[in-house]
Short mmCIF file of all heavy atoms in Angstrom, two decimals:
data_model
loop_
_atom_site.label_atom_id
_atom_site.label_comp_id
_atom_site.label_asym_id
_atom_site.label_seq_id
_atom_site.Cartn_x
_atom_site.Cartn_y
_atom_site.Cartn_z
N ASP A 1441 91.03 0.65 20.95
CA ASP A 1441 91.70 0.88 19.69
C ASP A 1441 90.77 1.78 18.89
O ASP A 1441 89.80 1.32 18.29
CB ASP A 1441 91.97 -0.43 18.95
CG ASP A 1441 92.80 -0.23 17.70
OD1 ASP A 1441 92.85 0.88 17.16
OD2 ASP A 1441 93.42 -1.22 17.24
N ASN A 1442 91.06 3.06 18.90
CA ASN A 1442 90.17 4.01 18.24
C ASN A 1442 90.13 3.81 16.73
O ASN A 1442 89.12 4.10 16.09
CB ASN A 1442 90.59 5.44 18.58
CG ASN A 1442 90.28 5.81 20.00
OD1 ASN A 1442 89.48 5.16 20.68
ND2 ASN A 1442 90.90 6.88 20.48
N ALA A 1443 91.21 3.32 16.16
CA ALA A 1443 91.22 3.06 14.72
C ALA A 1443 90.26 1.95 14.34
O ALA A 1443 89.79 1.90 13.20
CB ALA A 1443 92.64 2.72 14.26
N LYS A 1444 89.97 1.05 15.27
CA LYS A 1444 89.05 -0.06 15.03
C LYS A 1444 87.69 0.15 15.68
O LYS A 1444 86.84 -0.74 15.60
CB LYS A 1444 89.66 -1.37 15.52
CG LYS A 1444 90.91 -1.79 14.79
CD LYS A 1444 91.43 -3.11 15.32
CE LYS A 1444 92.66 -3.56 14.55
NZ LYS A 1444 93.18 -4.85 15.06
N ASN A 1445 87.51 1.28 16.33
CA ASN A 1445 86.26 1.55 17.05
C ASN A 1445 85.91 0.41 18.00
O ASN A 1445 84.75 -0.02 18.10
CB ASN A 1445 85.11 1.79 16.07
CG ASN A 1445 85.18 3.14 15.39
OD1 ASN A 1445 86.13 3.90 15.57
ND2 ASN A 1445 84.18 3.44 14.58
N THR A 1446 86.90 -0.06 18.71
CA THR A 1446 86.73 -1.25 19.53
C THR A 1446 87.35 -1.04 20.90
O THR A 1446 88.43 -0.47 21.02
CB THR A 1446 87.35 -2.48 18.86
OG1 THR A 1446 86.72 -2.69 17.59
CG2 THR A 1446 87.16 -3.72 19.72
N VAL A 1447 86.64 -1.51 21.92
CA VAL A 1447 87.16 -1.55 23.26
C VAL A 1447 87.26 -3.00 23.68
O VAL A 1447 86.43 -3.83 23.30
CB VAL A 1447 86.27 -0.74 24.24
CG1 VAL A 1447 84.87 -1.31 24.33
CG2 VAL A 1447 86.93 -0.66 25.62
N TYR A 1448 88.29 -3.32 24.46
CA TYR A 1448 88.57 -4.68 24.87
C TYR A 1448 88.58 -4.80 26.38
O TYR A 1448 88.84 -3.83 27.10
CB TYR A 1448 89.94 -5.13 24.36
CG TYR A 1448 90.12 -4.99 22.87
CD1 TYR A 1448 90.71 -3.86 22.33
CD2 TYR A 1448 89.70 -6.00 22.01
CE1 TYR A 1448 90.88 -3.73 20.96
CE2 TYR A 1448 89.87 -5.88 20.64
CZ TYR A 1448 90.45 -4.75 20.12
OH TYR A 1448 90.62 -4.62 18.76
N LEU A 1449 88.31 -5.98 26.84
CA LEU A 1449 88.49 -6.32 28.24
C LEU A 1449 89.24 -7.64 28.31
O LEU A 1449 88.68 -8.69 28.00
CB LEU A 1449 87.16 -6.43 28.98
CG LEU A 1449 87.27 -6.66 30.48
CD1 LEU A 1449 87.86 -5.44 31.17
CD2 LEU A 1449 85.91 -7.02 31.09
N GLN A 1450 90.50 -7.55 28.68
CA GLN A 1450 91.31 -8.74 28.88
C GLN A 1450 91.09 -9.22 30.31
O GLN A 1450 91.34 -8.48 31.25
CB GLN A 1450 92.79 -8.45 28.65
CG GLN A 1450 93.71 -9.64 28.88
CD GLN A 1450 93.49 -10.74 27.88
OE1 GLN A 1450 93.45 -10.48 26.68
NE2 GLN A 1450 93.36 -11.96 28.36
N MET A 1451 90.63 -10.44 30.45
CA MET A 1451 90.30 -11.00 31.75
C MET A 1451 91.21 -12.19 32.01
O MET A 1451 91.16 -13.19 31.29
CB MET A 1451 88.84 -11.42 31.80
CG MET A 1451 87.86 -10.30 31.45
SD MET A 1451 86.14 -10.78 31.69
CE MET A 1451 85.99 -12.05 30.43
N ASN A 1452 92.03 -12.07 33.03
CA ASN A 1452 92.95 -13.13 33.42
C ASN A 1452 92.61 -13.62 34.81
O ASN A 1452 91.91 -12.96 35.56
CB ASN A 1452 94.39 -12.63 33.38
CG ASN A 1452 94.84 -12.19 32.02
OD1 ASN A 1452 94.44 -12.75 31.01
ND2 ASN A 1452 95.70 -11.17 31.97
N SER A 1453 93.15 -14.78 35.14
CA SER A 1453 92.94 -15.36 36.47
C SER A 1453 91.47 -15.36 36.85
O SER A 1453 91.09 -14.98 37.96
CB SER A 1453 93.77 -14.60 37.51
OG SER A 1453 95.15 -14.63 37.19
N LEU A 1454 90.66 -15.83 35.95
CA LEU A 1454 89.22 -15.77 36.15
C LEU A 1454 88.77 -16.65 37.30
O LEU A 1454 89.32 -17.72 37.53
CB LEU A 1454 88.49 -16.15 34.87
CG LEU A 1454 88.46 -15.04 33.83
CD1 LEU A 1454 88.16 -15.60 32.45
CD2 LEU A 1454 87.44 -13.98 34.22
N LYS A 1455 87.78 -16.16 38.00
CA LYS A 1455 87.20 -16.83 39.15
C LYS A 1455 85.74 -17.12 38.90
O LYS A 1455 85.08 -16.43 38.11
CB LYS A 1455 87.33 -15.95 40.40
CG LYS A 1455 88.74 -15.50 40.73
CD LYS A 1455 88.73 -14.51 41.88
CE LYS A 1455 90.13 -14.05 42.22
NZ LYS A 1455 90.12 -13.07 43.34
N PRO A 1456 85.18 -18.12 39.57
CA PRO A 1456 83.75 -18.40 39.39
C PRO A 1456 82.87 -17.18 39.65
O PRO A 1456 81.84 -17.02 38.99
CB PRO A 1456 83.48 -19.51 40.40
CG PRO A 1456 84.78 -20.23 40.50
CD PRO A 1456 85.83 -19.16 40.40
N GLU A 1457 83.27 -16.32 40.57
CA GLU A 1457 82.47 -15.15 40.87
C GLU A 1457 82.51 -14.10 39.77
O GLU A 1457 81.78 -13.11 39.84
CB GLU A 1457 82.90 -14.52 42.21
CG GLU A 1457 84.39 -14.30 42.34
CD GLU A 1457 85.09 -15.41 43.11
OE1 GLU A 1457 84.80 -16.60 42.83
OE2 GLU A 1457 85.91 -15.10 44.00
N ASP A 1458 83.34 -14.29 38.76
CA ASP A 1458 83.32 -13.43 37.59
C ASP A 1458 82.21 -13.80 36.62
O ASP A 1458 81.99 -13.08 35.64
CB ASP A 1458 84.66 -13.49 36.85
CG ASP A 1458 85.81 -12.94 37.68
OD1 ASP A 1458 85.63 -11.91 38.35
OD2 ASP A 1458 86.90 -13.55 37.65
N THR A 1459 81.55 -14.90 36.86
CA THR A 1459 80.47 -15.34 35.98
C THR A 1459 79.36 -14.30 35.95
O THR A 1459 78.82 -13.91 36.99
CB THR A 1459 79.91 -16.68 36.44
OG1 THR A 1459 80.93 -17.68 36.33
CG2 THR A 1459 78.72 -17.10 35.60
N ALA A 1460 79.02 -13.85 34.76
CA ALA A 1460 78.02 -12.81 34.59
C ALA A 1460 77.82 -12.55 33.11
O ALA A 1460 78.58 -13.05 32.27
CB ALA A 1460 78.45 -11.51 35.29
N VAL A 1461 76.81 -11.78 32.81
CA VAL A 1461 76.68 -11.20 31.48
C VAL A 1461 77.45 -9.89 31.49
O VAL A 1461 77.24 -9.04 32.36
CB VAL A 1461 75.22 -10.97 31.09
CG1 VAL A 1461 75.13 -10.30 29.72
CG2 VAL A 1461 74.46 -12.28 31.07
N TYR A 1462 78.33 -9.73 30.55
CA TYR A 1462 79.17 -8.55 30.45
C TYR A 1462 78.64 -7.64 29.36
O TYR A 1462 78.40 -8.07 28.23
CB TYR A 1462 80.62 -8.94 30.16
CG TYR A 1462 81.33 -9.47 31.37
CD1 TYR A 1462 81.00 -10.71 31.90
CD2 TYR A 1462 82.31 -8.73 32.02
CE1 TYR A 1462 81.64 -11.20 33.03
CE2 TYR A 1462 82.95 -9.21 33.14
CZ TYR A 1462 82.61 -10.44 33.64
OH TYR A 1462 83.25 -10.92 34.77
N TYR A 1463 78.48 -6.38 29.71
CA TYR A 1463 77.90 -5.39 28.81
C TYR A 1463 78.90 -4.30 28.50
O TYR A 1463 79.61 -3.82 29.39
CB TYR A 1463 76.67 -4.75 29.44
CG TYR A 1463 75.52 -5.69 29.69
CD1 TYR A 1463 75.40 -6.36 30.90
CD2 TYR A 1463 74.54 -5.89 28.72
CE1 TYR A 1463 74.34 -7.22 31.14
CE2 TYR A 1463 73.49 -6.75 28.95
CZ TYR A 1463 73.39 -7.40 30.17
OH TYR A 1463 72.33 -8.25 30.40
N CYS A 1464 78.89 -3.88 27.28
CA CYS A 1464 79.70 -2.76 26.82
C CYS A 1464 78.85 -1.50 26.87
O CYS A 1464 77.68 -1.51 26.51
CB CYS A 1464 80.18 -3.04 25.40
SG CYS A 1464 81.14 -1.73 24.63
N LYS A 1465 79.46 -0.42 27.31
CA LYS A 1465 78.78 0.87 27.37
C LYS A 1465 79.63 1.94 26.75
O LYS A 1465 80.84 2.00 26.98
CB LYS A 1465 78.48 1.23 28.83
CG LYS A 1465 77.79 2.58 29.00
CD LYS A 1465 77.69 2.96 30.46
CE LYS A 1465 77.08 4.34 30.65
NZ LYS A 1465 77.05 4.74 32.07
N ALA A 1466 78.99 2.79 25.97
CA ALA A 1466 79.61 3.99 25.43
C ALA A 1466 78.90 5.19 26.00
O ALA A 1466 77.67 5.27 25.95
CB ALA A 1466 79.54 4.00 23.90
N GLY A 1467 79.66 6.13 26.53
CA GLY A 1467 79.07 7.30 27.13
C GLY A 1467 79.83 8.55 26.79
O GLY A 1467 81.04 8.52 26.54
N ARG A 1468 79.10 9.64 26.78
CA ARG A 1468 79.70 10.93 26.54
C ARG A 1468 79.07 11.93 27.48
O ARG A 1468 77.85 12.01 27.60
CB ARG A 1468 79.49 11.35 25.08
CG ARG A 1468 80.24 12.61 24.72
CD ARG A 1468 80.06 12.95 23.26
NE ARG A 1468 80.81 14.16 22.92
CZ ARG A 1468 80.39 15.10 22.09
NH1 ARG A 1468 79.22 14.97 21.49
NH2 ARG A 1468 81.15 16.15 21.86
N GLY A 1469 79.92 12.69 28.14
CA GLY A 1469 79.42 13.60 29.14
C GLY A 1469 78.78 12.84 30.27
O GLY A 1469 79.25 11.77 30.67
N ILE A 1470 77.68 13.37 30.78
CA ILE A 1470 76.99 12.72 31.89
C ILE A 1470 75.58 12.28 31.53
O ILE A 1470 74.85 11.78 32.40
CB ILE A 1470 76.95 13.63 33.13
CG1 ILE A 1470 76.23 14.95 32.83
CG2 ILE A 1470 78.36 13.90 33.65
CD1 ILE A 1470 76.01 15.82 34.06
N THR A 1471 75.20 12.43 30.28
CA THR A 1471 73.82 12.13 29.90
C THR A 1471 73.68 11.13 28.76
O THR A 1471 72.70 10.38 28.73
CB THR A 1471 73.08 13.41 29.50
OG1 THR A 1471 73.75 14.05 28.42
CG2 THR A 1471 72.99 14.37 30.68
N LEU A 1472 74.60 11.11 27.84
CA LEU A 1472 74.45 10.30 26.64
C LEU A 1472 75.17 8.97 26.81
O LEU A 1472 76.37 8.93 27.10
CB LEU A 1472 75.01 11.04 25.43
CG LEU A 1472 74.86 10.37 24.07
CD1 LEU A 1472 73.39 10.16 23.74
CD2 LEU A 1472 75.55 11.20 22.99
#
């Protein structure tokens, strides 16, 4: 949602193997 400067991850049917620390990344081009 660009108006809210927010990215979402909807996770359904979760499995134990999904257990992890989840990180958000913002990137531009191939370097930043």
Side-chain angles (χ1 to χ4, degrees):
D1441 187 339
N1442 288 343
K1444 296 181 178 180
N1445 286 4
T1446 300
V1447 62
Y1448 305 95
L1449 185 67
Q1450 179 66 49
M1451 305 186 294
N1452 298 326
S1453 302
L1454 283 161
K1455 304 174 180 179
E1457 50 263 46
D1458 296 318
T1459 296
V1461 177
Y1462 284 71
Y1463 296 90
C1464 177
K1465 179 188 177 183
R1468 187 177 181 218
I1470 59 173
T1471 58
L1472 184 61

